[in-house]
Amino acid sequence: MKYIEEFQDPELARRLLDDIHATVTRPWALMEVCGGQTHTIIRHGIDQLLPDQVELIHGPGCPVCVTPLEVIDKALEIASRPDVIFCSFGDMLRVPGTGRDLFQVRSEGGDVRVVYSPLDALKIARQNPGKEVVFFGIGFETTAPPNAMTVHQARKLGIRNFSLLVSHVRVPPAIEAIMQSPSCRVQGFLAAGHVCSVMGMGEYPGLAARHRVPIVVTGFEPLDILEGVRHAVRQLERGEHTVDNAYARAVRPEGNPAAIAMLEDVFEVTDRAWRGIGVIPDSGWRLSERYREHDAEHRFSVTDITTREPAECRSGEVLQGLIKPNQCEAFGTTCTPRNPLGATMVSSEGACAAYYLYRRLDLTPVRATDPIARTAPLEASPVV
Amino acid sequence: MSETTTLDVTGWTCPAPLRDRPRVVMGHGGGGALSAELVQHLFAPAFGGEVLAQMGDAAAVTLGGARLAFSTDSYVVRPLFFPGGDIGDLAVNGTVNDLAMAGARAAYLSCGFILEEGVEMSVVARVARSMGAAARAAGVEIATGDTKVVETGHGDGIYVNTAGIGLIPDGVDLRAQRVVPGDVVIVSGEIGLHGVAIMSVREGLEFGVDIESDCAALGGLVEAMLAVTSDLHVLRDPTRGGVAAALNEIAAASGTGVVLQEGKVPIPDPVANACAILGLDPLYVANEGKLVAFVPREHADAVLDAMRAHPLGRRAAVIGEAVESHPGLVVARTGLGGTRVVDLPLGEQLPRIC
């Protein structure tokens, strides 16, 4: 089984790095959209090996980080109910809501279970007809289709005690919002390869043309990242702004039609709040009317949620690429993985956690006097 | 797409802190930072005592002129039977290994069973037979025991606690505090097998190949190492929390830094692939038949040769060294040439969402 080594080969990496070094003539700022890419970059020290002129800005593509506090609090409330079995992917359990997390709910007697597939949650629902089984449906275009399929299955099989707490988000509207921000420094994007493997590349040419930014569909292993950077830098140096596929082994231009069909059947596009960022129009999915009985928010009246966020956390700016994690005053001091202020420090894909875990030895916290550390406030928008 | 929002960074904030946990969470037993905090801030102050303060896998005590290693461990593994072992041989080998990490050959074990009402007697018998066989293989006698039964729903079938004592040979003094810059770090073989084997059966995950736990008693391997030199500095079996936790504990206790050569760590392909699929780091995955040794540089080659000559050390490898810089921290040099901190895990590793 050689799926990994060949994409981490040091010799091939060196050649790609040499090529990037030879190509770059001036500074460029690239955003890797996905938290998985951030993780690879920091874990393998790729940012240390790139030319100084190539700055990698970490984007909002961590599903754990961007799930709004309000939804987490709804999850905590639902999971606390005695008649509920609450199922979730593992990394959501540690994300703090207002004052507690799902681990804590479990320690207080809540039936919170880690599953590896939403279908496992459906199985639990069949095995526990006297309980309400809720699956925490978060994530991007990658996790949305299997979650959609699970709801589809539940309806088809008449499993009425299964519902989905939905907080799915879509990448292209987030890119649009980032590019529209006056503080934006991003000149090119490494698009998330797994998102494109589902959705295809059709959503990107318009974005690339409208904002004159190259968008390179990029994978997740070290060589994938370097290849993506190379494509983006080449385009920038030539003054081009097209969509490249540097992840052709996984991404077809049309994506996965079956997955897209499933999404269209079960979900409908909606405005969605991104934690730390605010509401981005059309950036999410919710269950469509036909599947409303499987919508946990509809089934459980989780109202009167009062969220409370610490003022010193700047993860919203980190998620937008406006500051680096160590440019937050709380980084490594009042905010660590042990005592996280924000989801970007909790999630294993979060940029703050990646910086703290892998890079804190050579990082000096940068204070607010840094010119980038306090970007000019933008016009008002709803913040959730 | 409808009209695009403009974003107001001034209001961007995020979640509330979880400074203190009022209740025990699973991470408190994960062998990482939460476990260490529980011991350091709750148990140790309550118990006091100089011996406990050593914080080794086993306590080194002197009794009637004899230097003894003394250790206890509880086993709550699920499922009870897994590829490469079961809760029985795990309970014997785990405590034997804790004693071996103090340089001692285990002599006697105790065994405490907590059985759940309703568990089949044939399952208990199978576990007992497995414990007996493991004890005989390790050259240790199960000398005393205890049995309790809890009501249905109050246990996972069978929990086992074992404690053990063994004699520490003269001249052997294995403590993290003895580690000095320049020591060579050796791992006895391929890592991550136990944790991935358990995950594969517990979660019903299939990785395309059979992965068996490395569960084994390490007393013989340690004896082979000590036959080369009694001047080993510290041994640690990287169980929960994996190699990363073991190295961090040693770095913290010794006040030295550790540099790990990531590419030198033996990681079997199936483990690497399973971890890649789940978003886990093999350095943090549990082992039950491996050890990490800090060895004075002048003895490193001879110790490595002795390990490789032993069946449980064939794939032994030098994976790093102790250094003066960054005291208390473990830093990995990545395969591509970058560096990263290898931190103490917080609690249990959590599979990533995507």
Side-chain angles (χ1 to χ4, degrees):
Chain A
M1 288 174 69
K2 283 202 141 197
Y3 302 134
I4 301 166
E5 274 176 35
E6 55 205 10
F7 298 106
Q8 298 186 356
D9 184 284
E11 179 54 35
L12 291 174
R14 174 50 52 198
R15 279 188 228 160
L16 286 168
L17 280 162
D18 287 347
D19 193 58
I20 294 167
H21 277 265
T23 305
V24 168
T25 63
R26 61 206 138 128
W28 299 113
L30 306 177
M31 174 175 276
E32 83 276 1
V33 169
C34 175
Q37 292 168 330
T38 303
H39 189 81
T40 297
I41 288 163
I42 305 297
R43 187 180 187 282
H44 293 273
I46 289 170
D47 53 331
Q48 300 165 331
L49 303 170
L50 287 170
D52 289 342
Q53 295 107 312
V54 178
E55 181 189 1
L56 291 177
I57 295 174
H58 315 306
C62 164
V64 175
C65 302
V66 301
T67 302
L69 183 56
E70 191 187 358
V71 175
I72 308 265
D73 283 351
K74 284 179 179 173
L76 294 169
E77 188 172 323
I78 294 170
S80 301
R81 299 187 181 194
D83 59 332
V84 166
I85 299 173
F86 193 88
C87 302
S88 170
F89 292 130
D91 48 4
M92 286 306 293
L93 267 65
R94 205 183 279 153
V95 181
T98 303
R100 57 186 189 151
D101 59 18
L102 284 167
F103 271 127
Q104 201 160 319
V105 168
R106 192 158 83 174
S107 75
E108 291 162 3
D111 193 346
V112 178
R113 302 187 190 180
V114 173
V115 294
Y116 292 80
S117 156
L119 287 172
D120 293 342
L122 196 60
K123 196 167 144 195
I124 290 169
R126 296 182 83 166
Q127 292 166 344
N128 296 272
K131 292 271 191 178
E132 285 288 333
V133 175
V134 182
F135 181 72
F136 202 174
I138 73 149
F140 289 82
E141 292 90 333
T142 48
T143 51
N147 292 350
M149 185 185 69
T150 308
V151 174
H152 180 84
Q153 280 289 100
R155 188 164 183 266
K156 190 171 150 195
L157 299 171
I159 303 173
R160 302 177 69 87
N161 64 328
F162 176 82
S163 59
L164 202 62
L165 179 61
V166 187
S167 187
H168 281 298
V169 281
R170 302 172 59 229
V171 166
I175 291 180
E176 182 77 47
I178 287 166
M179 290 312 297
Q180 297 236 345
S181 166
S183 325
C184 177
R185 299 187 299 121
V186 179
Q187 294 164 294
F189 284 94
L190 307 182
H194 54 0
V195 167
C196 298
S197 71
V198 176
M199 302 304 291
M201 295 160 60
E203 297 175 288
Y204 293 106
L207 279 169
R210 200 154 52 245
H211 300 289
R212 303 182 65 80
V213 285
I215 299 177
V216 182
V217 177
T218 304
F220 299 88
E221 292 301 326
L223 294 189
D224 292 323
I225 302 285
L226 290 171
E227 183 69 10
V229 170
R230 186 171 71 142
H231 277 250
V233 166
R234 278 186 172 176
Q235 281 204 46
L236 287 164
E237 291 283 342
R238 291 173 186 161
E240 297 170 355
H241 42 80
T242 60
V243 179
D244 276 354
N245 185 1
Y247 196 39
R249 72 177 187 277
V251 174
R252 289 175 298 174
E254 70 278 17
N256 180 336
I260 293 170
M262 186 57 73
L263 284 171
E264 288 173 349
D265 176 48
V266 175
F267 290 135
E268 60 192 22
V269 170
T270 182
D271 296 350
R272 180 67 75 190
W274 295 51
R275 188 172 201 171
I277 295 177
V279 174
I280 300 177
D282 295 338
S283 69
W285 278 297
R286 66 179 173 209
L287 286 164
S288 60
E289 188 65 39
R290 232 153 55 90
Y291 292 90
R292 193 52 49 85
E293 68 163 320
H294 294 289
D295 187 338
E297 288 200 63
H298 178 70
R299 184 173 297 199
F300 302 89
S301 63
V302 269
T303 51
D304 300 328
I305 298 281
T306 309
T307 58
R308 180 166 43 83
E309 308 257 22
E312 61 190 312
C313 176
R314 300 177 65 192
S315 77
E317 292 160 272
V318 172
L319 288 167
Q320 292 261 335
L322 296 173
I323 64 168
K324 290 277 163 56
N326 58 314
Q327 289 170 322
C328 171
E329 290 81 351
F331 176 81
T333 55
T334 53
C335 184
T336 64
R338 172 69 185 86
N339 287 309
L341 287 180
T344 47
M345 185 60 94
V346 182
S347 163
S348 58
E349 289 188 14
C352 294
Y355 268 58
Y356 185 84
L357 292 175
Y358 298 145
R359 200 48 58 72
R360 68 180 184 274
L361 191 62
D362 43 32
L363 285 180
T364 309
V366 180
R367 300 304 173 200
T369 48
D370 183 275
I372 308 167
R374 282 291 179 201
T375 40
L378 307 182
E379 290 168 35
S381 77
V383 172
V384 176
Chain B
M1 182 171 167
S2 61
E3 189 183 341
T4 304
T5 187
T6 45
L7 303 169
D8 178 7
V9 292
T10 54
W12 290 347
T13 54
C14 75
L18 292 173
R19 300 286 169 193
D20 300 296
R21 290 179 178 272
R23 293 173 191 267
V24 171
V25 294
M26 289 302 289
H28 284 116
L34 289 176
S35 299
E37 285 177 16
L38 186 67
V39 173
Q40 284 165 11
H41 300 304
L42 194 150
F43 291 131
F47 299 160
E50 290 175 17
V51 176
L52 184 62
Q54 297 169 4
M55 296 286 175
D57 283 345
V61 296
T62 303
L63 201 61
R67 290 178 67 225
L68 300 173
F70 180 32
S71 184
T72 184
D73 211 336
S74 298
Y75 299 85
V76 294
V77 66
R78 190 164 47 86
L80 299 173
F81 305 95
F82 49 82
D86 58 62
I87 193 170
D89 52 26
L90 191 63
V92 169
N93 292 336
T95 293
V96 165
N97 290 347
D98 284 345
L99 298 172
M101 297 308 107
R105 185 75 186 246
Y108 298 104
L109 296 187
S110 74
C111 158
F113 280 104
I114 297 175
L115 307 177
E116 185 183 5
E117 181 185 29
V119 69
E120 290 176 22
M121 204 58 85
S122 61
V123 171
V124 182
R126 191 174 157 196
V127 170
R129 283 197 300 272
S130 175
M131 290 184 75
R136 284 187 290 280
V140 60
E141 184 177 346
I142 299 174
T144 183
D146 176 57
T147 306
K148 297 284 187 294
V149 179
V150 294
E151 291 173 6
T152 302
H154 288 245
D156 257 335
I158 301 177
Y159 297 144
V160 184
N161 171 275
T162 50
I165 54 171
L167 204 57
I168 301 175
D170 287 342
V172 172
D173 180 16
L174 300 174
R175 285 179 292 126
Q177 291 78 5
R178 293 194 64 218
V179 168
V180 292
D183 280 2
V184 170
V185 183
I186 300 173
V187 66
S188 64
E190 293 177 318
I191 68 165
L193 290 162
H194 178 73
V196 170
I198 292 286
M199 258 184 279
S200 68
V201 285
R202 181 185 296 173
E203 314 297 352
L205 304 171
E206 296 189 7
F207 303 116
V209 287
D210 293 330
I211 301 174
E212 289 203 343
S213 168
D214 57 346
C215 184
L218 294 167
L221 176 64
V222 173
E223 270 186 38
M225 296 166 71
L226 287 170
V228 175
T229 173
S230 60
D231 189 26
L232 304 176
H233 284 168
V234 70
L235 302 177
R236 193 64 58 109
D237 58 340
T239 52
R240 298 195 96 177
V243 169
L247 294 180
N248 268 281
E249 287 165 12
I250 292 167
S254 65
T256 59
V258 174
V259 170
L260 186 66
Q261 300 293 339
E262 200 173 38
K264 305 276 188 195
V265 181
I267 302 170
D269 280 348
V271 169
N273 292 330
C275 286
I277 290 166
L278 293 171
L280 305 178
D281 186 337
L283 288 175
Y284 293 89
V285 175
N287 310 273
E288 286 295 347
K290 298 296 181 305
L291 63 82
V292 172
F294 281 61
V295 181
R297 185 166 293 278
E298 62 269 27
H299 302 311
D301 287 343
V303 169
L304 193 62
D305 288 345
M307 292 174 79
R308 286 176 175 166
H310 190 278
L312 294 177
R314 283 202 189 101
R315 299 293 306 273
V318 172
I319 59 170
E321 62 178 330
V323 296
E324 276 183 42
S325 55
H326 53 81
L329 275 183
V330 181
V331 171
R333 296 215 191 289
T334 71
L336 299 190
T339 59
R340 68 178 171 110
V341 174
V342 178
D343 213 354
L344 191 66
L346 183 62
E348 291 184 294
Q349 280 206 104
L350 297 169
R352 277 160 46 190
I353 181 171
C354 66

